[in-house]
Amino acid sequence: MNAIGAVDIGGTKVAVGIVNEDGRLISRMEAPSRSVEVYSDGARLITDMLRQSTQATGQAIVGIGIGATGPVNPFTGRFGDLDFLPQWSGESLVDDLERDFRVPVALENDADAAALAEAGWGAGRSKSRLIYVTVGTGIGGGIILDGRLYRGVDGAHPEIGHQVIDTGGPLCSCGLNGCWEALAAGPAMVRWMESQPEYFSSEELTAKRICELAYVGNALALRAIEREIFYLGIGLANLVNVFTPDALILSGSVMKSADLFLNGIRKVMRQGCRFVPLEKVKLTLASLGEDANLIGAARAWHERFAHGEKHVFQ
Ligand SMILES: [Zn+2]
């Protein structure tokens, strides 16, 4: 039995789990991210939670994978500037956990980790080229090419959410206008609907609420869905035209209402992908659900140390 410890560091919570060799999460604990603003407190809490998890499951762990939202350096194991945990910048949880548990530890961007998990244990099994896309408060993803996580220069994580779709579109956090994320992430759906002259409501609008309104036939919400379908379809068509992958795997909170979007997205993609074999590209939903980030953290470890990605680092 080769269980892997998993740590997921996100904007709202820090979660810890144990993942078995089949990619199943067998234990889970979490704490709010705001409770670990000081790095040393966070490292201690994560170590404690991992120890409790191994004791509760009776599993010895062969390694630990860490997935984190935001910039990380998978080569050095150090965090970049995490805007939700600024005091963690430059720290190495990899070093601390290796010292405490005496097992190898891997750090990965959480979208890359989830892409690895879907490729190894989820909807992308048997697909050697796949792109994982998560649509929620932003748009991010991970790219697997020929069975391996694609890393850019200096190990950089590609930012598929910042492909520009419409130069006349809204200003994005990156400084450009009309990025995919600025047009089609959940908050962009909300901004568009609230900006329409016929919109009137005192309730707080969310992407989830827009989808609920669309299900009951609200005309403006249905237009918001049509708009979302168009922009998601264009962004995905771009990815297919550039990479011609075997599969696109969709995830994230907006995709919880995927049945509103999928047929329309396929139609937009058919219009935009005429010179590549789109019919062979599988468009599918992620299969690992809410636990994808923890399972991904474990898979990132598995990829690095069980699959021997190490040589890529030299
Ligand atoms: Zn941008």
Side-chain angles (χ1 to χ4, degrees):
M1 186 67 218
N2 290 322
I4 303 167
V7 181
D8 173 34
I9 296 159
T12 55
K13 64 181 185 302
V14 171
V16 161
I18 304 289
V19 175
N20 73 11
E21 61 191 358
D22 301 321
R24 241 173 11 93
L25 185 70
I26 55 175
S27 151
R28 185 183 204 290
M29 299 177 76
E30 67 175 56
S33 301
R34 63 174 185 281
S35 70
V36 293
E37 280 171 7
V38 176
Y39 171 75
S40 55
D41 294 347
R44 200 175 313 120
L45 180 72
I46 287 165
T47 297
D48 288 349
M49 289 199 292
L50 274 170
R51 284 204 199 289
Q52 286 176 45
S53 302
T54 53
Q55 279 161 13
T57 58
Q59 299 282 342
I61 49 174
V62 292
I64 301 166
I66 307 164
T69 301
V72 300
N73 188 325
F75 295 100
T76 65
R78 289 187 187 281
F79 296 110
D81 292 327
L82 306 183
D83 53 6
F84 54 96
L85 287 171
Q87 295 182 50
W88 288 41
S89 173
E91 299 284 359
S92 176
L93 187 59
V94 170
D95 288 349
D96 290 335
L97 294 181
E98 279 185 342
R99 190 192 56 237
D100 289 348
F101 289 88
R102 300 183 179 280
V103 292
V105 178
L107 172 68
E108 203 67 78
N109 169 279
D110 58 357
D112 282 339
L116 285 168
E118 290 291 341
W121 286 323
R125 255 178 300 190
S126 81
K127 304 290 183 196
S128 72
R129 293 157 293 242
L130 69 87
I131 304 180
Y132 170 85
V133 179
T134 173
V135 186
T137 53
I139 297 183
I143 301 169
I144 308 287
L145 293 179
D146 297 330
R148 294 211 174 256
L149 178 67
Y150 171 76
R151 298 184 192 281
V153 60
D154 200 24
H157 164 72
E159 292 287 347
I160 60 171
H162 295 277
Q163 54 167 316
V164 174
I165 304 281
D166 176 1
T167 53
L171 184 64
C172 180
S173 59
C174 72
L176 289 174
N177 284 78
C179 288
W180 199 18
E181 174 171 299
L183 286 162
M189 291 177 74
V190 171
R191 273 195 304 274
W192 179 85
M193 188 150 153
E194 285 178 341
S195 71
Q196 298 307 296
E198 61 268 52
Y199 177 74
F200 178 79
S201 174
S202 55
E203 69 175 342
E204 195 198 344
L205 195 60
T206 60
K208 184 174 174 223
R209 183 70 189 133
I210 294 173
C211 293
E212 288 167 359
L213 290 167
Y215 281 121
V216 296
N218 178 289
L220 187 57
L222 285 167
R223 280 175 53 211
I225 299 297
E226 280 304 310
R227 177 188 168 280
E228 179 72 4
I229 285 170
F230 176 73
Y231 287 124
L232 286 178
I234 294 288
L236 292 169
N238 286 345
L239 293 176
V240 170
N241 281 329
V242 174
F243 291 98
T244 56
D246 298 291
L248 292 169
I249 298 183
L250 303 180
S251 173
S253 56
V254 173
M255 283 302 130
K256 286 183 177 162
S257 306
D259 54 331
L260 287 172
F261 303 106
L262 284 182
N263 285 339
I265 286 173
R266 288 194 178 96
K267 204 168 151 197
V268 175
M269 290 174 73
R270 278 197 295 275
Q271 290 166 350
C273 298
R274 298 194 175 174
F275 303 133
V276 292
L278 177 69
E279 70 283 359
K280 294 185 176 156
V281 181
K282 189 177 172 195
L283 179 69
T284 188
L285 295 175
S287 65
L288 298 175
E290 302 284 323
D291 298 321
N293 280 11
L294 277 175
I295 296 172
R299 188 71 199 187
W301 181 88
H302 188 272
E303 207 67 18
R304 187 111 27 114
F305 294 105
H307 269 189
E309 196 210 26
K310 248 196 155 161
H311 68 279
V312 177
F313 281 62
Q314 285 148 18

